[in-house]
Amino acid sequence: MVVGIHRKTYAKIDLNAIKHNIKVEKAQMTNEQNLFAVVKANAYGHGIVEVAKAAHEVGVDGYCVAIIDEALALRKAGLNELILVLGVNSFEYASLMAKNNISTAVGDIDFLKKAQVLLCEQKQRLSVHLALDTGMGRIGFRTQEALCEAVDFMKQHTSEFNFEGIFTHFSTADSGKKEAVNYYEQQINGFNELLSSIEELPKYVHVANSAASIWHKECGGNTIRFGITMYGLNPSGGELDIPTGFRPALSLLSEVVAIKKIKKGNSVGYGKTYTAKEDEWIATVPIGYADGWLRSMQGFKILIADNFCEIVGRVCMDQIMVRVPSKVLIGTTVTLIGRQEQKEIKAQDVADQAGTIHYEVICLISERVPRIY
Ligand SMILES: *Cc1c(COP(=O)(O)O)cnc(C)c1O
């Protein structure tokens, strides 16, 4: 991957905001609760190693990632806390995970049976968090019978398995609508019912994502998987309020690389979708859909010289054109996400324009965009 270090388009990451957000979350947790920092997908686009190290500095009990390679990147960076891969993995990698002290989610007995053979051969022990599917319909055990079979199997093979955790994931913890709350409650009840079939609970019982930790404090478990709100964003988008104090960590910045006056009737961009209604100043900014700045951002207003200025014409792969009220200098700062003086563009504003959620907006900022800390 080629990173654009000689182009002044970058994501500015405020690691102090990340640390601050963890502290805010921890302040409202009990002493018995643990916090896992969710750093999957390059820490939601913020940079996995840098974010994990910042989290380490303020103290977290572990990290959650989505895939094994993300876990390996953390181990390579020298982080020694627990690392849980939230996705299910092929049994072929059981030995690799055990060797690197990586814990894995397990959602079916088949994995355990096949992994046991390999682990026994290698004289290795793998830490397992059993995933329970209580309504997400994604991964995990759905019945007491299937769950008990897995727990019993691990009990018979304690040399190969460390039963370290058990968890579920909510699909509607981020909404206050009646149906969503009912479904959340259904999931909690399902989880407790499944749990009641287990004699001895593992060390980590975890159900809460950011949303549940904020709006369903009673949800139970002893560990929070803290994701989007660690990055300062509201899990519900804008539907529910989050407590004040969380600060967004990411800004997306660029600068003007060209400025020209076009005449009334001149067009801008591919497909000639924009035609000037009068003589207008058009600035060019070096960011495009290859950077994760989607084509649906045409028409959105970004900040240049403290003005909200409209993106006109189609978003190109590497550049956008913006109508500015008057001539600006080459090199003028452009804020696509973040603050400029008193004005702010939130990741949520970008998501609203693109018809998506801010999770997607920040994850999609491509690797070509350097992260500056
Ligand atoms: C991504 C993820 C989280 C974190 O969710 P946020 O909404 O970002 O807090 C927690 N648990 C699981 C299983 C996940 O996949």
Side-chain angles (χ1 to χ4, degrees):
M1 185 70 209
V2 176
V3 181
I5 55 173
H6 299 101
R7 174 183 72 159
K8 290 180 180 161
T9 295
Y10 61 99
K12 194 167 95 185
I13 311 297
D14 180 359
L15 293 175
N16 285 328
I18 302 231
K19 290 190 218 174
H20 169 84
N21 295 336
I22 293 171
K23 285 187 198 153
V24 171
E25 180 74 4
K26 282 169 80 165
Q28 54 89 42
M29 285 165 43
T30 66
N31 285 339
E32 291 74 46
Q33 282 179 311
N34 306 292
L35 186 144
F36 290 168
V38 182
V39 293
K40 61 192 179 189
N42 200 26
Y44 296 41
H46 294 61
I48 184 168
V49 169
E50 291 80 1
V51 168
K53 283 184 173 167
H56 168 85
E57 280 175 38
V58 285
V60 293
D61 303 286
Y63 306 97
C64 294
V65 295
I67 64 174
I68 294 171
D69 303 272
E70 293 167 344
L72 291 172
L74 294 179
R75 285 287 177 252
K76 199 169 161 212
L79 292 153
N80 292 320
E81 289 93 346
L82 179 153
I83 304 175
L84 169 62
V85 181
L86 293 169
V88 289
N89 296 295
S90 166
F91 72 94
E92 296 160 65
Y93 303 122
S95 177
L96 176 70
M97 289 190 281
K99 185 172 143 220
N100 288 282
N101 195 20
I102 295 167
S103 307
T104 183
V106 170
D108 65 86
I109 187 87
D110 225 47
F111 173 93
L112 294 175
K113 287 188 172 158
K114 288 179 172 149
Q116 190 270 330
V117 178
L118 296 180
L119 293 164
C120 186
E121 264 171 30
Q122 304 285 327
K123 295 193 169 49
Q124 286 172 319
R125 193 156 185 251
L126 177 65
S127 293
V128 167
H129 290 229
L130 291 182
L132 306 187
D133 182 3
T134 56
M136 180 72 180
R138 189 165 65 178
I139 56 167
F141 298 91
R142 294 174 72 99
T143 65
Q144 285 195 347
E145 298 73 59
L147 175 60
C148 289
E149 195 191 354
V151 173
D152 288 344
F153 187 81
M154 285 197 289
K155 245 187 221 159
Q156 287 154 27
H157 297 100
T158 48
S159 307
E160 288 83 35
F161 297 113
N162 165 31
F163 181 23
E164 185 178 60
I166 192 159
F167 73 104
T168 194
H169 192 51
F170 298 123
S171 57
T172 62
D174 58 352
S175 171
K177 299 205 175 85
K178 193 158 175 279
E179 250 178 77
V181 174
N182 286 345
Y183 199 68
Y184 156 80
E185 279 165 4
Q186 209 176 304
Q187 283 198 262
I188 272 282
N189 294 337
F191 183 71
N192 289 332
E193 204 177 308
L194 285 170
L195 229 53
S196 69
S197 63
I198 298 177
E199 274 165 39
E200 206 181 326
L201 289 178
K203 181 170 179 196
Y204 299 101
V205 178
H206 44 111
V207 295
N209 53 3
S210 301
S213 83
I214 294 171
W215 297 303
H216 298 288
K217 286 208 192 309
E218 74 302 338
C219 66
N222 60 15
T223 303
I224 291 165
R225 301 185 303 267
F226 193 45
I228 195 75
T229 307
M230 177 168 68
Y231 306 98
L233 301 182
N234 178 340
S236 77
E239 188 202 316
L240 301 170
D241 290 333
I242 52 169
T244 47
F246 293 113
R247 296 204 313 248
L250 180 143
S251 308
L252 184 61
L253 302 161
S254 188
E255 65 170 39
V256 172
V257 291
I259 178 80
K260 74 199 71 74
K261 194 168 198 178
I262 65 168
K263 294 246 177 293
K264 178 180 175 180
N266 289 169
S267 293
V268 176
Y270 287 121
K272 196 174 167 295
T273 61
Y274 178 80
T275 302
K277 290 196 183 67
E278 52 199 324
D279 292 1
E280 290 173 353
W281 285 100
I282 300 291
T284 300
V285 181
I287 188 168
Y289 60 79
D291 302 296
W293 192 256
L294 304 175
R295 284 176 92 243
S296 48
M297 297 315 293
Q298 181 172 353
F300 187 70
K301 290 184 174 146
I302 58 178
L303 283 164
I304 301 179
D306 210 19
N307 287 306
F308 282 105
C309 304
E310 185 181 336
I311 297 170
V312 295
R314 287 201 184 130
V315 170
C316 310
M317 188 184 289
D318 318 296
Q319 303 176 74
I320 52 176
M321 286 71 86
V322 186
R323 188 182 62 232
V324 289
S326 56
K327 185 173 185 180
V328 293
L329 295 175
I330 302 275
T332 301
T333 299
V334 177
T335 302
L336 298 109
I337 298 174
R339 263 187 186 288
Q340 207 171 81
E341 306 294 332
Q342 294 310 307
K343 302 193 175 96
E344 185 180 12
I345 299 172
K346 295 184 172 147
Q348 183 61 38
D349 300 328
V350 177
D352 288 342
Q353 165 76 21
T356 181
I357 55 172
H358 53 43
Y359 288 78
E360 195 174 45
V361 169
I362 55 176
C363 284
L364 284 184
I365 298 171
S366 76
E367 280 188 46
R368 189 166 77 175
V369 178
R371 273 65 174 172
I372 310 286
Y373 299 92

